[in-house]
């Protein structure tokens, strides 16, 4: 008995001094959400608990309070599995989209209406962590998307198109560079091929080239002595010498 009293006194003293604190459930939601009439919207709700998650005891409660006069009504309830409402404005409209182990208690509301303008509340209890404020979302349904949303959508589409255009420009430029390099390489090869042809080894320079003439020799038979003489038809000096020797022979015979 004395031991129990001592333990109670110690616990009470620690709690009074602030050394023993009980941390409540923390729930996080978006403060304001805007949706276009007739579209599906995901209401995000995440949480952080000081106690370990027990799938058999944790509960999630979604409720709705209309903007105008009206009573608060249930939107969705989760305990081990989801329990959508069987009546009311959210019948067959609320769907579970969370993951308890991932600390996500989100839901999807299908085909939102203007009667959904109001405040959605997300409350989570994970015994023994059952204290804490519920997360609230101020929800508004509009005819068309707001200017900021349209601007973000336009920027996203424009950015995607810009990236595609830049990619195409870079691709075409690379292909052109490759073709120009290949054409230049072929031109250099064509220019170097004549230089590699074999030249006449007897010529050092075109202006100093030594031209070789192949003379066509004619063979004649001398009937007097049976000797064969050759005469070049292309060499004028040899023909003149033959004429000179003939004249000398004729002059000798006359003497």
């Amino acid at each position: 008995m004395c031991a129990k009293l001592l333990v109670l006194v110690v616990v009470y003293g620690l709690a009074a001094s602030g050394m023993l604190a009980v941390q409540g459930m923390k729930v996080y939601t978006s403060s304001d959400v805007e949706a276009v009439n007739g579209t599906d919207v995901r209401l995000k709700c995440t949480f952080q608990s000081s106690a370990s998650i027990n799938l058999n005891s944790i509960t999630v409660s979604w409720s709705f309070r209309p903007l105008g006069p009206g009573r608060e009504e249930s939107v969705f309830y989760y305990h081990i599995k989801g329990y959508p409402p069987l009546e009311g404005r959210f019948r067959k409209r609320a769907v579970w989209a969370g993951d308890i182990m991932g600390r996500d208690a989100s839901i999807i509301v299908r085909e939102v209406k203007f009667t959904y303008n109001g405040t959605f509340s997300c409350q989570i209890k994970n015994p023994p962590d059952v204290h804490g404020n519920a997360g609230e979302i101020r929800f508004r349904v509009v005819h068309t998307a707001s200017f900021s949303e349209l601007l973000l959508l336009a920027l996203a589409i424009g950015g995607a198109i810009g990236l595609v255009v830049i990619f195409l420009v870079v691709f075409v430029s690379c292909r052109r560079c490759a073709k120009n390099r290949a054409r230049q390489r072929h031109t250099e090869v064509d220019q170097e091929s004549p230089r590699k042809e074999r030249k006449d080894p007897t010529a050092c320079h075109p202006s100093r080239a030594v031209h070789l003439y192949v003379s066509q020799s004619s063979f004649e038979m001398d009937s007097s002595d049976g000797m064969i003489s050759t005469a070049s038809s292309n060499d004028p000096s040899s023909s003149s010498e033959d004429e000179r020797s003939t004249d000398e022979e004729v002059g000798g015979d006359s003497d």
Side-chain angles (χ1 to χ4, degrees):
M1 187 67 179
C2 294
K4 291 182 179 180
L5 291 175
L6 181 61
V7 171
L8 291 175
V9 170
V10 172
V11 171
Y12 179 78
L14 292 174
S17 61
M19 296 180 62
L20 182 62
V22 177
Q23 185 178 4
M25 174 74 67
K26 293 183 178 180
V27 181
Y28 307 95
T29 57
S30 300
S31 57
D32 295 281
V33 174
E34 186 178 277
V36 178
N37 182 36
T39 61
D40 297 346
V41 179
R42 186 174 188 267
L43 300 180
K44 188 174 181 179
C45 176
T46 58
F47 63 92
Q48 183 178 358
S49 176
S50 59
S52 59
I53 297 176
N54 187 348
L55 296 176
N56 295 323
S57 59
I58 189 171
T59 60
V60 178
S61 299
W62 279 91
S63 60
F64 173 75
R65 186 173 63 255
L67 187 61
R71 62 183 181 83
E72 185 174 350
E73 60 181 292
S74 176
V75 177
F76 197 90
Y77 182 77
Y78 180 92
H79 179 217
I80 302 177
K81 65 177 183 178
Y83 294 92
L86 300 178
E87 58 183 5
R89 73 184 76 189
F90 296 102
R91 180 175 178 267
K92 296 183 178 180
R93 295 296 179 92
V95 180
W96 177 252
D99 179 15
I100 293 298
M101 296 308 298
R103 291 168 174 77
D104 185 0
S106 304
I107 62 171
I108 293 177
V109 180
R110 294 177 175 173
E111 301 177 1
V112 296
K113 301 178 181 180
F114 291 104
T115 56
Y116 294 175
N117 287 327
T119 302
F120 287 86
S121 298
C122 175
Q123 188 173 23
I124 303 171
K125 294 182 179 181
N126 181 36
D129 194 358
V130 296
H131 301 285
N133 296 329
E136 293 188 348
I137 300 175
R138 289 186 295 271
F139 193 74
R140 189 163 71 99
V141 181
V142 296
H143 288 282
T144 58
S146 62
F147 176 76
S148 59
E149 292 181 352
L150 292 176
L151 180 61
L152 291 175
L153 181 61
L155 290 175
I157 295 175
I161 294 174
L163 290 176
V164 172
V165 171
I166 292 174
F167 174 77
L168 291 176
V169 170
V170 173
F171 179 74
V172 172
S173 300
C174 292
R175 290 199 63 180
R176 286 185 178 179
C177 291
K179 288 182 179 180
N180 292 336
R181 290 177 182 175
R183 190 180 298 110
Q184 184 177 2
R185 193 178 299 110
H186 288 305
T187 304
E188 293 177 355
V189 170
D190 294 340
Q191 291 177 354
E192 291 179 358
S193 57
R195 300 176 184 175
K196 296 181 180 180
E197 294 180 357
R198 186 173 182 181
K199 297 181 179 180
D200 187 359
T202 61
C204 298
H205 192 272
S207 61
R208 301 177 183 178
V210 178
H211 301 283
L212 302 178
Y213 296 94
V214 179
S215 60
Q216 296 179 356
S217 302
S218 61
F219 297 88
E220 297 180 356
M221 178 70 70
D222 191 354
S223 59
S224 61
D225 53 4
M227 298 297 291
I228 299 174
S229 61
T230 62
S232 175
S233 61
N234 295 332
D235 192 354
S237 60
S238 61
S239 61
S240 60
E241 289 179 358
D242 292 341
E243 291 178 358
R244 197 177 301 113
S245 61
T246 304
D247 293 340
E248 290 178 356
E249 290 177 357
V250 171
D253 292 339
S254 64
D255 293 337

